[in-house]
Amino acid sequence: MKIFVAGATGAIGSSLVPRLVARGHDVVGTTRSAARAGTLRVLGAESVVMDALDPDSMADAVARAEPEVVVHQLTALSGPADMKSAKRMAAATNELRVAGTDHLLAAARAVGVHRFVAQSNALWMQRTGGSVADESGRMEPNPPADGAEAVAALRHLEDSVTGISWAQGIALRYGGFYGPGTGMSAAPDAVMAEQIRRRKFPIVGGGGGVWSLVHIDDAASATVAAVERGASGIHHIADDEPAPIHVWLPELARALGAKPPRRVPAWLVRPLAGKAAVDTMTQARGISSQKAKHELGWTLRYPSLRTGFTRGLE
């Protein structure tokens, strides 16, 4: 098929594009930077420099590509880990999930795309109903004020994509990424890993927030399955071992050769990092990926975070 990947040089795009090419698909990938266009050509894709927040730029890029499938992986989550940068990246990503999604859907509809696959995430599942949620769960209706914009952007993306009638609209709620090209890897420039090595990523409160993680290669293989045979709706994409932060963070520190993470009371972190950050560290729920396995025929390479941390960080 002819596949248009918006955000093709991000963590998942860099793993997704070569997989699609290897399976015989004709891939057009977008980037915001002309300097990164060569990377896409090396991966086997045609490259397009595009501004996702400019509807004319978006419409022109999609019209020229004439794809059958559009994959929406647009985020702005790369850069330094300081608080100011994190807030700026979060705001830019929220804008891409609202305006960027709207522009991409309009462009896809204009050229007759038959499947539209978009990146969501599972960090803000509703905080009631047990430690693990399936796809019937909804986004948290009452997030902290400093997390409300992010939750609203995710809700907009999911509702907009799964609500289309002119194509299969698929939202993939990914767990937290780890592995090459992500913030949690063995690379020296991996932002979160460096914070863990410097003991600047603590266990907040009791560390009871349950996170589901997924190796970037498994996330990419699930996306390939959704591109090729996904039906409208939401699919959860994560490994089989959702775990509280107080369990998986020390495991990751050990795999990175770092000292155990510090423990910091929630009241101390809240005025520095915000209520939303404390909420995700103490109240988050994990997700079940049984639907994706059954309906997409998806198989995990790293079903356990322990084996993934041991063998999948390089």
Side-chain angles (χ1 to χ4, degrees):
M1 295 181 290
K2 188 70 173 288
I3 301 170
F4 185 91
V5 181
T9 58
I12 192 166
S14 298
S15 187
L16 172 63
V17 167
R19 281 171 168 75
L20 292 171
V21 171
R23 292 182 64 79
H25 300 298
D26 186 1
V27 181
V28 175
T30 78
T31 177
R32 291 171 292 175
S33 166
R36 304 188 74 178
T39 301
L40 286 171
R41 290 191 290 270
V42 170
L43 295 177
E46 180 183 344
S47 63
V48 176
V49 179
M50 181 194 74
D51 180 359
L53 297 178
D54 180 341
D56 294 331
S57 176
M58 179 83 80
D60 182 66
V62 175
R64 288 175 182 272
E66 298 183 313
E68 298 162 76
V69 180
V70 165
V71 182
H72 176 0
Q73 297 288 346
L74 294 165
T75 67
L77 297 176
S78 61
D82 59 272
M83 293 297 296
K84 184 177 180 180
S85 297
K87 289 180 179 180
R88 183 179 67 250
M89 291 186 292
T93 296
N94 292 339
E95 190 173 11
L96 288 168
R97 286 174 173 157
V98 178
T101 297
D102 292 347
H103 299 336
L104 193 52
L105 281 169
R109 184 174 188 176
V111 300
V113 162
H114 68 75
R115 185 172 285 123
F116 190 105
V117 180
Q119 177 190 143
S120 184
N121 74 60
L123 193 59
W124 282 104
M125 298 302 297
Q126 188 172 11
R127 299 316 196 210
T128 58
S131 61
V132 178
D134 63 19
E135 286 82 355
S136 66
R138 60 174 181 162
M139 291 287 172
E140 170 56 40
N142 299 299
D146 57 339
E149 186 176 352
V151 176
L154 289 168
R155 187 177 292 116
H156 176 88
L157 180 148
E158 291 187 357
D159 290 348
S160 299
V161 170
T162 61
I164 60 177
S165 59
W166 42 268
Q168 300 288 343
I170 303 159
L172 302 179
R173 282 182 186 155
Y174 298 104
F177 296 148
Y178 71 95
T182 75
M184 289 198 291
S185 78
D189 60 347
V191 173
M192 187 178 291
E194 179 60 17
Q195 295 296 304
I196 293 170
R197 290 189 185 97
R198 296 168 64 185
R199 304 188 80 193
K200 291 188 175 182
F201 192 104
I203 296 172
V204 177
V210 176
W211 285 26
S212 284
L213 304 179
V214 62
H215 191 279
I216 196 68
D217 288 347
D218 282 329
S221 69
T223 309
V224 170
V227 163
E228 294 181 341
R229 51 189 176 273
S232 291
I234 294 171
H235 292 281
H236 286 174
I237 307 299
D239 68 21
D240 294 337
E241 197 174 345
I245 289 175
H246 70 80
V247 172
W248 68 258
L249 188 54
E251 290 279 350
L252 179 56
R254 189 177 302 113
L256 292 169
K259 293 180 179 179
R262 303 179 192 276
R263 290 180 175 268
V264 181
W267 63 264
L268 185 60
V269 176
R270 195 171 289 114
L272 299 173
K275 292 181 179 180
V278 171
D279 185 281
T280 59
M281 296 288 279
T282 59
Q283 303 295 323
R285 299 172 68 200
I287 55 173
S288 166
S289 301
Q290 292 307 307
K291 177 184 175 184
K293 291 180 183 179
H294 176 70
E295 294 188 5
L296 300 179
W298 174 52
T299 301
L300 284 152
R301 180 182 181 188
Y302 298 107
S304 163
L305 60 87
R306 290 176 175 83
T307 57
F309 289 168
T310 301
R311 304 200 308 259
L313 294 179
E314 296 291 344

